[in-house]
Amino acid sequence: MQRVQNLTRTILVAAVMSGVAPILPVAFPGLGAPEAEAAVVSRIDVRGNTRIDASTVESYLTIRPGRSFGPADIDESLKTLFATGLFEDVAINQQGGTLVVTVSENPMVNRISFEGNRRLDDKTLTGVVRTEERSMLTRAKVQSDVQNVLEAYRRSGRYRATVEPKIISRSNNRVDLVFEINEGDRTGIERITFIGNSKFSDGRLRDVIRTRTSGLLSFLRTTDSFDPDRLDADQELLRQFYYRHGYADFQIVSAVADLDREENVFYVTFTVDEGEQYTYGEIDLQTSLSDVDPEDLRRKLRTSTGDTYSSLDVEKSLEDLTLDVSRQGYAFAQIRPRASRDYENRTISLTYFIEEGPRVYIERINVRGNDRTREYVIRREFDLVEGDAFNRVLIDKAERRLKDLQFFKSVRITTARGSAPDRIVVNVDVEEQATGEIGFGVGYSTSDGVIGDITLQEKNFLGRGQFIRAKVGAGTSTQAYEFAFTEPYFLGRRIALSLDVYRRSYDRNDYRNYDMQTTGGSIGLGLPLRDDELRLNLVYRIFDQDLTQDANTTLSNGLRTSLGRNLTSAIGYSLVYDTRDSRTDPRDGFFVSFGQEVAGLGGDSRYLSSSIDARAYKEILPEWGVIGILRAGAGNIMGLGRSLRASEQFQHNDNWLRGFEMQGIGPRDAITGDALGGRWYVHANAEAEFPILGLPKELGLSGAVFTDFGAVWDADPAIIRCVQTLNGCGGNQAAGNVNSNDFAPRVSAGFGVKWASPFGPLRADFAWPIIKEPGDRTQLFRIGGGTRF
């Protein structure tokens, strides 16, 4: 009889644990009645409990003394007790007028530990398990924890990881929970394939997404392991890329990652439907607001008829219109773009409708997840505060700004209903990432030889959003020390205050016959005039420069104007227009900078310097990943009430005229060969960059062909006189002459190889002068680059 009773209870418990109530006409021996008959007990006796009060156990029962009950009540009580997670086993029996509830309590977790983990530390794994120390141990929770740990390893790219939980018994019904982990080999990405693309090559699209294939440089990055969240983000990056290039019908048919368990690699495949490229048709602007003139707002539009359609242009037009209309007193105005597609002519006509929106106010902005970053650093990226009119466009703009800070792994802004129908709550959820960096740099240039540096840098200093950098560098003929600080929100406004102090030493080498030491600093202000595209920079510089001649060297009389110490105090400005899609590896957009500097606010120098630099980037053969680059620049410097020193004049830079040495062109002392510099310079460059076919993309190698044009001319007359006069300017040289003082363009052409190395970008160029002048110093090969690693 006892065995039958135990078997029946076992079946019942198993059914309860599986979530299925038994529907069986079972008689319960010991209860004294079959299922059809009800039983009554006078009291309840709880046995086996040590930490949990009997009253607590009784509170979970549906059976009460003096009230009849049946098998359904037994079933419900068992399910309720097991659902608490407090008990490992439960039995309910009737002994005469007493209901005996026998429980076996789940053990208490004394300690949780991890063994075999190296790639993920204990702190990371503790954060993913649900079981906590000094809590009840349940096998269901342990199994859930095993899956959570496995998922953490999968997200770190280790799909062969295994986890085995071990339970070690201790005294007083306590246990130690140990997760034995075999991390396995890293699961890499063998291949990324695109199907359906014809407008852009596979290589170009691989540059758009963040996921990378495994290769030689896998030990330096983590993006070559499969992450489902990254795959989702890659799909969005592809959509935005195509939308910004005019492919408004673009669709991702599928994005699949196939795991080859035998080889332990993933094969990622994106199937896309590119559609056709659109241009803008008619652009119209309409409003229901009586005081708003649509014609005045047209200047804010960044979309023009005939241009290639870009979702980014539409987005920024909405932001500019929203801000302008709100300044006119319409805080609740909404701008809605309506598009009309002409599939035959492949045009998209846009009409911007400006109308009064619903009167909804921001009740509260909640910032969550910022353990280190101060809350005001996040809030200041909003053009809205509590109490302002809610505007979705400005919320999206704030989200983009927060992402651009690069303080956070992820930024997500959502909304919730407020305390009233016209109130809304904005929730800002961020996940912080490391912003500090220590860098060791190494590089080489044909002008200064081997160069190395150590840099300490923090982009979010003390969580205040401030930038700070300290740098020490040394090379074959150079030494440098630098400290820089930037406050991006000076006086609580979107004005960047920058401070910089430095000391640089240049020893005599093949390009200069003197030693030069410069100590100085600067203070600047950066003011955005149109978001981040147009900026005005103001700067004040002061530096002391000391040039000395080695007794064993011969120096041009023209350079003697620069010997000794010279203090320069100058103030300047620059206007910068920048629409490049990337600051480090641009493929599209423009960069134009015009600046002037006046020296003479104290110190020894007196001059006015002006310069302009313009660059244009365009994918000329997007299906092959070929980028066209045009660059041009010019400058002039003139003395103000006094002559210029040679060190103040412009010198040739071998970055914009390859095929010639540093200071290889321009006015030169015909006797000593020293470069004197000039008051004018001009240059122009045309280049095409392309991937090297047949080489794995992971190697980071690309090629380039180019042609360069440049000239430096018109040295200050006082310098010319020093050269042409016997022992001029205190020198000991015979009267000589100056070569190439008149405008004489030089032209070169060549090819180069770029390498995105683990130590930073390196580049080698081979260039041949096509047009040169007597006395020029040519250079067939040059190599340069290097950065932190």
Side-chain angles (χ1 to χ4, degrees):
M1 180 67 68
Q2 182 65 35
R3 292 179 61 186
V4 173
Q5 182 178 359
N6 289 341
L7 177 62
T8 304
R9 182 173 63 83
T10 301
I11 295 174
L12 180 60
V13 170
V16 170
M17 293 297 290
S18 64
V20 179
I23 310 177
L24 298 172
V26 180
F28 290 88
L31 294 180
E35 183 183 15
E37 298 179 8
V40 178
V41 293
S42 59
R43 71 185 189 91
I44 297 175
D45 184 15
V46 178
R47 300 175 184 177
N49 58 310
T50 58
R51 292 189 300 269
I52 302 170
D53 291 338
S55 59
T56 302
V57 177
E58 291 182 29
S59 67
Y60 291 113
L61 301 176
T62 61
I63 302 171
R64 295 290 180 267
R67 292 190 344 207
S68 60
F69 65 94
D73 297 301
I74 297 287
D75 180 25
E76 184 66 26
S77 296
L78 286 170
K79 287 197 297 183
T80 303
L81 287 171
F82 276 110
T84 64
L86 300 174
F87 308 106
E88 189 175 23
D89 194 12
V90 180
I92 299 178
N93 295 286
Q94 183 179 358
Q95 296 181 4
T98 302
L99 184 70
V100 179
V101 181
T102 305
V103 298
S104 175
E105 294 177 347
N106 277 321
M108 182 77 71
V109 178
N110 178 58
R111 186 173 66 92
I112 299 175
S113 61
F114 303 91
E115 295 181 358
N117 57 308
R118 296 193 308 274
R119 302 298 177 181
L120 298 181
D121 57 25
D122 289 1
K123 182 179 179 181
T124 300
L125 295 177
T126 301
V128 302
V129 299
R130 294 171 51 207
T131 304
E132 299 177 350
E133 294 180 356
R134 293 182 297 278
S135 68
M136 290 289 188
L137 177 73
T138 66
R139 298 189 181 276
K141 192 181 294 185
V142 170
Q143 292 304 315
S144 175
D145 288 339
V146 168
Q147 294 304 314
N148 291 340
V149 172
L150 288 174
E151 181 62 23
Y153 273 99
R154 292 189 185 107
R155 290 187 177 276
S156 68
R158 296 182 178 271
Y159 278 74
R160 282 188 171 177
T162 60
V163 180
E164 184 177 354
K166 298 288 187 180
I167 299 175
I168 303 174
S169 298
R170 300 298 182 190
S171 60
N172 299 323
N173 199 25
R174 294 177 303 120
V175 296
D176 290 343
L177 177 60
V178 180
F179 293 95
E180 293 185 354
I181 300 171
N182 181 359
E183 295 180 320
D185 296 329
R186 195 159 176 247
T187 307
I189 295 179
E190 179 68 19
R191 187 172 62 245
I192 301 175
T193 305
F194 294 89
I195 299 175
N197 57 307
S198 60
K199 309 301 182 184
F200 297 96
S201 66
D202 287 11
R204 179 66 184 98
L205 297 181
R206 290 191 192 103
D207 289 339
V208 173
I209 63 177
R210 294 179 56 204
T211 302
R212 294 288 182 264
T213 56
S214 302
L216 296 176
L217 306 181
S218 294
F219 67 96
L220 293 173
R221 61 192 179 204
T222 60
T223 54
D224 62 341
S225 59
F226 176 68
D227 185 337
D229 291 340
R230 191 186 303 125
L231 186 66
D232 292 340
D234 286 342
Q235 295 180 62
E236 184 60 27
L237 289 173
L238 287 171
R239 291 189 192 95
Q240 293 302 323
F241 173 76
Y242 272 94
Y243 293 162
R244 292 177 181 182
H245 285 78
Y247 296 90
D249 294 332
F250 172 79
Q251 291 183 341
I252 295 179
V253 179
S254 65
V256 180
D258 295 318
L259 174 62
D260 185 332
R261 296 188 178 277
E262 184 174 337
E263 297 295 331
N264 194 34
V265 294
F266 272 100
Y267 296 90
V268 178
T269 304
F270 294 93
T271 304
V272 302
D273 181 2
E274 292 180 315
E276 298 294 335
Q277 188 180 49
Y278 287 82
T279 58
Y280 290 112
E282 295 183 3
I283 305 296
D284 194 14
L285 197 152
Q286 300 178 10
T287 177
S288 62
L289 307 178
S290 58
D291 296 336
V292 175
D293 186 356
E295 296 304 318
D296 290 340
L297 292 176
R298 286 186 179 274
R299 57 187 175 84
K300 294 291 183 181
L301 297 178
R302 307 192 186 197
T303 53
S304 301
T305 301
D307 290 350
T308 301
Y309 171 81
S310 171
S311 62
L312 182 62
D313 292 337
V314 177
E315 181 182 337
K316 291 193 173 183
S317 295
L318 289 174
E319 293 174 0
D320 293 342
L321 289 172
T322 299
L323 289 173
D324 195 270
V325 173
S326 64
R327 292 190 188 103
Q328 297 183 41
Y330 292 94
F332 297 96
Q334 289 186 343
I335 296 94
R336 304 179 185 275
R338 297 182 184 176
S340 175
R341 302 191 191 190
D342 185 334
Y343 293 97
E344 182 177 353
N345 296 315
R346 295 199 294 274
T347 61
I348 296 180
S349 297
L350 286 175
T351 301
Y352 296 91
F353 287 92
I354 306 175
E355 56 190 0
E356 188 76 13
R359 292 182 173 271
V360 179
Y361 298 88
I362 298 177
E363 178 177 319
R364 189 171 63 256
I365 298 178
N366 297 323
V367 179
R368 303 180 296 207
N370 56 315
D371 297 328
R372 180 170 178 269
T373 304
R374 309 293 178 94
E375 187 167 317
Y376 69 82
V377 172
I378 297 173
R379 287 180 175 270
R380 69 190 183 189
E381 299 301 328
F382 286 78
D383 291 322
L384 302 167
V385 297
E386 281 94 342
D388 284 352
F390 174 78
N391 191 293
R392 184 74 250 180
V393 172
L394 299 184
I395 294 294
D396 293 340
K397 182 179 182 180
E399 184 171 349
R400 190 179 71 246
R401 282 177 174 172
L402 288 171
K403 290 178 179 178
D404 290 343
L405 290 176
Q406 298 182 351
F407 296 168
F408 312 105
K409 285 183 181 179
S410 63
V411 178
R412 186 167 177 262
I413 300 180
T414 58
T415 57
R417 305 178 80 178
S419 58
D422 63 344
R423 297 291 186 270
I424 197 167
V425 175
V426 177
N427 296 315
V428 185
D429 293 289
V430 299
E431 182 182 358
E432 293 184 310
Q433 64 181 2
T435 55
E437 178 181 328
I438 179 171
F440 301 90
V442 63
Y444 177 82
S445 73
T446 47
S447 59
D448 288 309
V450 177
I451 303 171
D453 66 68
I454 299 176
T455 304
L456 292 173
Q457 179 174 295
E458 172 58 63
K459 292 185 292 187
N460 187 14
F461 183 61
L462 298 178
R464 300 174 182 271
Q466 298 165 335
F467 174 86
I468 189 171
R469 181 181 69 239
K471 179 178 178 180
V472 177
T476 305
S477 59
T478 64
Q479 301 85 42
Y481 310 90
E482 180 182 351
F483 177 81
F485 171 82
T486 300
E487 168 55 68
Y489 275 78
F490 183 55
L491 298 178
R493 299 181 179 273
R494 200 176 293 275
I495 300 174
L497 170 69
S498 59
L499 303 172
D500 185 30
V501 292
Y502 58 88
R503 182 183 181 88
R504 305 183 182 112
S505 298
Y506 301 91
D507 299 334
R508 179 175 59 89
N509 60 15
D510 294 338
Y511 302 93
R512 52 182 175 265
N513 289 325
Y514 52 84
D515 298 332
M516 182 170 63
Q517 188 173 88
T518 305
T519 304
S522 65
I523 180 171
L525 294 175
L527 297 84
L529 302 181
R530 186 180 182 185
D531 284 342
D532 294 327
E533 290 185 357
L534 183 62
R535 294 184 65 84
L536 171 64
N537 299 318
L538 305 174
V539 64
Y540 170 74
R541 296 194 306 144
I542 183 169
F543 60 91
D544 178 79
Q545 192 173 73
D546 186 13
L547 271 68
T548 57
Q549 178 189 2
D550 192 307
N552 298 322
T553 61
T554 301
L555 191 66
S556 169
N557 290 341
L559 292 178
R560 291 187 173 277
T561 60
S562 300
L563 290 178
R565 300 187 63 176
N566 182 75
L567 182 66
T568 300
S569 174
I571 188 170
Y573 76 92
S574 64
L575 277 171
V576 179
Y577 178 69
D578 191 353
T579 63
R580 293 175 297 174
D581 57 351
S582 170
R583 300 296 187 264
T584 57
D585 187 23
R587 293 176 174 270
D588 186 74
F590 297 92
F591 174 89
V592 181
S593 174
F594 173 77
Q596 289 186 302
E597 184 178 73
V598 178
L601 305 177
D604 305 311
S605 298
R606 302 285 188 276
Y607 62 77
L608 169 63
S609 174
S610 306
S611 63
I612 186 171
D613 182 27
R615 307 170 209 170
Y617 302 85
K618 183 69 175 178
E619 289 184 297
I620 52 180
L621 292 173
E623 63 275 17
W624 296 102
V626 180
I627 307 168
I629 304 171
L630 296 176
R631 180 181 178 186
N636 169 257
I637 185 170
M638 62 177 67
L640 299 178
R642 52 149 292 177
S643 301
L644 293 171
R645 294 177 173 86
S647 60
E648 295 169 343
Q649 298 192 124
F650 296 117
Q651 291 281 4
H652 157 245
N653 187 327
D654 61 354
N655 286 321
W656 50 257
L657 182 59
R658 289 156 286 194
F660 296 85
E661 288 184 356
M662 179 78 75
Q663 303 180 7
I665 69 169
R668 186 180 303 278
D669 190 317
I671 296 178
T672 65
D674 290 326
L676 304 175
R679 293 185 291 181
W680 290 88
Y681 80 90
V682 65
H683 71 86
N685 316 82
E687 182 171 315
E689 294 185 2
F690 50 87
I692 299 178
L693 298 178
L695 293 179
K697 184 72 176 176
E698 293 71 35
L699 291 178
L701 288 171
S702 60
V705 292
F706 58 83
T707 180
D708 296 341
F709 160 91
V712 178
W713 74 98
D714 193 23
D716 191 283
I719 298 175
I720 302 295
R721 287 194 296 270
C722 290
V723 175
Q724 295 175 343
T725 303
L726 177 64
N727 301 329
C729 301
N732 54 8
Q733 301 295 323
N737 201 359
V738 176
N739 294 336
S740 302
N741 196 44
D742 297 328
F743 173 74
R746 279 76 161 177
V747 178
S748 66
F751 67 90
V753 177
K754 294 174 61 178
W755 180 33
S757 76
F759 314 108
L762 297 174
R763 175 161 179 159
D765 288 309
F766 295 85
W768 291 265
I770 298 174
I771 299 176
K772 61 180 181 177
E773 295 293 318
D776 288 349
R777 297 185 177 182
T778 61
Q779 182 184 71
L780 172 64
F781 172 75
R782 67 181 294 274
I783 184 172
T787 186
R788 291 181 301 278
F789 63 88

